[in-house]
Amino acid sequence: MAITIYPVYADFAAEIGDVDLAKPLSAEDREAIKQAFWKYAVLVFPAQELTSNQHVAFAQVFGPMEPNINSYAEEVKQDRIDGRISDVSNLDHNDEILAAGSRKRLSGLANRLWHTDSIFRHVPARASLLYGRAIAPIGGNTQFADLRAAWEALPQATKDRIAGLTVEHSIFHSRAKLGFTDYTDRERAALPPALQVLVRTIPETGRRSLYTASHAMRVMGLPEAESTQLLEELMAHATQRQFVYSHRWRLNDLVMWDNRCTLHRGTDYDERRWKRDMHRATVSDVGNTCERAAASPAAVAARVAS
Ligand code: OGA
Ligand code: MN
């Protein structure tokens, strides 16, 4: 039986049924899921029973796994789960709710700012696959914004002005917005800032995307005030409600998103009361967006012509 697709919007977010991700996929299902992923950018797979190995195996359909972000944190926040998977829970290594002042909790609060995963790495993330192993009965939704629709809705003059811009991103920039600056030199050195294009083209669809996030520090080549204002305005534009899907979690949902063309954020819930145990497998993109853009046929042709 082929997979079933229930779109949430015409070309953004869809629920996928009639597939068991714990089993190897048939070639047809694999292809159908990939096509749906490129088209909808956010896919929801309800009622999946996955081991960590199965979760990782399904992630690898979309590319190589990204090294776990937690491996850069000096505190031991791993241990609790498989080392290939990021721990996005509010739990400590005894599966108890984190203390209010815990470093893991404070750093995790940055997930509540609109972002796209690993834009601050030289090679950013392509896909993230978040698996809900325990959910809050109320609150704790994850919201997604469609950065393709956001790009398309910009005024032509703005598009022309920003299309060739480059942005510097750092994970410590978004953390600092919350006043969380408690990082060692070694942690900072492990995640230096990265440059990414502001507008990228998604090869599978040809659609362009407004590639920004709360990690965005500055637009290269602009005076600081202009850069900050532009980043603020683009973020406000991209997260208007007509571009947003809000996901209400059910236990054992697997939700995957295309980091190249969506923003996401966690939302409030009573973290001191409910256990929320989310596991994230992250797939790497194919390269740095600036390097890829510089090497694109159009860029090479422009250099040859000049
Ligand atoms: C993530 C993330 C938000 C949430 O896993 O990358 O940002 O709702 N999660 O847990
Ligand atoms: Mn995230």
Side-chain angles (χ1 to χ4, degrees), residues 7-23:
V8 177
Y9 302 112
D11 56 9
F12 184 46
E15 291 194 311
I16 309 293
D18 293 309
V19 62
D20 180 357
L21 301 180
K23 302 205 181 108

Side-chain angles (χ1 to χ4, degrees), residues 88 110-111 113 115-118 128 130 215 257 259 264-266 280:
V88 193
N111 275 348
L113 304 176
H115 67 281
T116 179
D117 293 328
S118 296
S128 294
L130 192 62
H215 307 299
W257 59 87
N259 283 297
H264 63 278
R265 67 172 177 184
R280 192 183 91 199

